[in-house]
Amino acid sequence: MGTSGYAAVATARGRELPTRLGLALFIGGAAMVMSPSIWPVIWFAAMLAGQALDWIAFRSMRLGAGESTRARRVLCVGVAALNTAIYSSISVYLWFRGGEFGPLFAMIQVAGGLLHVSLHMHHVRPLLIASVIPHATYFLGLPLLTIVTTRDPAAVAILIAALLYVAHLVVAVRQSMRTAGDMRAAKIEALMQRDRAKQASDAKSEFLAVISHEIRTPLNAVISAANLLRRTRLDSQQREHVSMLLDGGDMLLGLLNDVLDFSKIEAGKMRLESTEMNVRNKLAALRRLWEPKATSRGIRFSVVVDEAVPDAIRTDPLRFQQILFNLLSNAVKFTRDGAIRVNVGWDDATSSLTAEVHDTGCGIATDQIDSIFDSFEQASAGDTRRYGGTGLGLAISRRLAQAMGGDLTATSAPGEGSTFTLTVRVEAVGPADAIEPAPVARAATVSLQGRSILAVDDHEVNRRILALLLEPHGCRLTLVENGAEAVKAAGVEPFDAILMDMQMPVMDGLEATRRIRAGGPNVATPVIALTANAMDVHKAAWDAAGVHAFLTKPIDAPLLARTLGEACAEPRQTAKTAAEVAA
């Protein structure tokens, strides 16, 4: 086992010192009772001296101080042999002077010492041999000496019993060594498997990050171009085609977000926020979104909130909305006629918010209820063909609900509809705190007319899209294609805001942001990250760089305009303060 084995023995010996001294005191006292004389006292004094030497010899290995040299290991082996020799030497006194029970006591005492050192030091062979030899010498030598000198038959029986004991001890030690070796091998294998699993997880995360970036970049062009096209004069057929483009883009973006969320949940990297949320406002927003979609399909839509529900709670608003969004999306998708009803209640005893989403859709067979919460599962293959989707929505929703201290369950009957019940543990907030601030609304009133904005993106199509989206607002755009050009442009003239991509040739957006923050006319200019790198690790990197906001592609045009308006309206930091923040 090497020097680590010596260190382990040294630690164990230091920990067991009080036990050894207490046992020595007991044995010395027993010897004194059996045959009073000065020898047990001398033996106990020798034990104290030997243990002091043992403490000193093993001290550096016990503390891990300095290198374990060969000389130090030899010293430890010698001290171990000396201490076992001293410990077992009392057996000579007990054997010859202990009266009728002295030999029995002597043999038990040495047998215990043999067992202890065999189990205690078996993984360090030099220490094991040095400790076993003195014990074995007394254990086998005393009855053998008696046989030679007195030819006592009892001594023969004791010697045979001692030999059997040693034989069993050898077998036990070999088995213990084999078991310890197997455990070490298993531990090494487990560590290797853990490392491989971590590497696989890291590779998966890297793969997802690359795929997310590579899909978001062209998807940004598709969705943005479709939105721009919808603003033009189109006939009904062309407008239908554009709507199909946007619907397909939204579905692809939703799938991409679901895969990323599911990956984060499985890796245990899903981070939940805890902020105040106005329950009724959030439900009203969901109703405004889904009621027109349900009505267009001839489905009645209603939301009923119990009076006991607090005006405001503390939870993760985004994830709460995501779960209900998934449930309502499924309800609308699987209901052809009838009604969709959302009932929201409150359990004061458990501080839990409950939201039931009931629909009169096709329903689910009882034996398939549990499977719908499995990854990539739907009630049947026919549902996938008829309604689309991957089956990730409910799996993600249940795991999010469980992460929020609650659960998501379902009851259903084929042909009669389904009821999904979301329960989350939340903290109720007093009425005085129930009014949510609306910074977005304030920012939306700020005009971009005449604002000077630096936009950095290495893709020509993305730069063209930014120009088409922002120039109608009356702002002046300066477009550059990498971080180095951004630093150069930012050093020449002040801008009201900077839109910064992340992954670019020559110089990436993070490095460019740090250099702009280091000094110059734009040291205090708000930088808005606008990137296809949408994972949490990327957001954390931008937060560390001190950006004003983090926006992902595909571009949400209204959100982009509002964020720019908010950034341009904010009072500027001084150059010194901004540099300190960046540092």
Side-chain angles (χ1 to χ4, degrees), residues 44-57:
F44 185 72
M47 275 290 297
L48 290 177
Q51 293 304 312
L53 182 60
D54 188 279
W55 179 267
I56 295 170

Side-chain angles (χ1 to χ4, degrees), residues 238-294:
Q238 291 170 332
R239 189 165 295 279
E240 182 182 354
H241 293 164
V242 171
S243 296
M244 285 168 35
L245 272 176
L246 289 171
D247 289 343
D250 288 342
M251 288 177 62
L252 184 56
L253 181 60
L255 172 59
L256 181 61
N257 289 333
D258 280 348
V259 170
L260 291 179
D261 275 349
F262 188 74
S263 175
K264 284 189 287 186
I265 292 171
E266 284 215 315
K269 296 179 180 179
M270 176 63 73
R271 294 182 298 180
L272 297 176
E273 303 292 334
S274 181
T275 56
E276 290 182 17
M277 179 187 81
N278 188 298
V279 179
R280 289 168 174 81
N281 286 355
K282 181 65 69 177
L283 292 170
L286 285 168
R287 179 171 185 167
R288 285 193 299 271
L289 176 65
W290 287 103
E291 189 171 29
K293 297 181 179 182

Side-chain angles (χ1 to χ4, degrees), residues 164-182:
L164 287 172
Y165 178 83
V166 170
H168 284 297
L169 188 61
V170 169
V171 172
V173 169
R174 291 183 62 182
Q175 183 62 42
S176 179
M177 292 174 67
R178 188 178 298 112
T179 301
D182 291 343

Side-chain angles (χ1 to χ4, degrees), residues 197-330:
K198 185 178 183 302
Q199 290 172 6
S201 178
D202 291 343
K204 183 180 74 171
S205 298
E206 182 64 25
F207 172 76
L208 286 173
V210 172
I211 288 298
S212 174
H213 179 274
E214 295 306 314
I215 292 177
R216 284 175 188 274
T217 298
L219 190 58
N220 177 55
V222 172
I223 293 179
S224 298
N227 276 314
L228 289 167
L229 186 59
R230 188 165 59 177
R231 296 179 184 179
T232 63
R233 297 181 63 180
L234 303 171
D235 59 36
S236 58
Q237 188 176 29
Q238 291 170 332
R239 189 165 295 279
E240 182 182 354
H241 293 164
V242 171
S243 296
M244 285 168 35
L245 272 176
L246 289 171
D247 289 343
D250 288 342
M251 288 177 62
L252 184 56
L253 181 60
L255 172 59
L256 181 61
N257 289 333
D258 280 348
V259 170
L260 291 179
D261 275 349
F262 188 74
S263 175
K264 284 189 287 186
I265 292 171
E266 284 215 315
K269 296 179 180 179
M270 176 63 73
R271 294 182 298 180
L272 297 176
E273 303 292 334
S274 181
T275 56
E276 290 182 17
M277 179 187 81
N278 188 298
V279 179
R280 289 168 174 81
N281 286 355
K282 181 65 69 177
L283 292 170
L286 285 168
R287 179 171 185 167
R288 285 193 299 271
L289 176 65
W290 287 103
E291 189 171 29
K293 297 181 179 182
T295 302
S296 67
R297 295 168 61 98
I299 304 167
R300 298 184 303 279
F301 189 95
S302 62
V303 177
V304 179
V305 183
D306 192 274
E307 292 182 358
V309 174
D311 288 330
I313 58 173
R314 185 175 295 277
T315 187
D316 188 323
L318 177 63
R319 299 306 177 185
F320 177 80
Q321 175 179 293
Q322 181 179 353
I323 297 170
L324 284 182
F325 187 97
N326 281 332
L327 297 181
L328 290 171
S329 174
N330 284 341

Side-chain angles (χ1 to χ4, degrees), residues 452-465:
S452 178
I453 297 171
L454 173 63
V456 191
D457 199 297
D458 61 316
H459 282 271
E460 183 179 354
V461 172
N462 289 341
R463 294 196 299 273
R464 176 61 177 158
I465 287 171

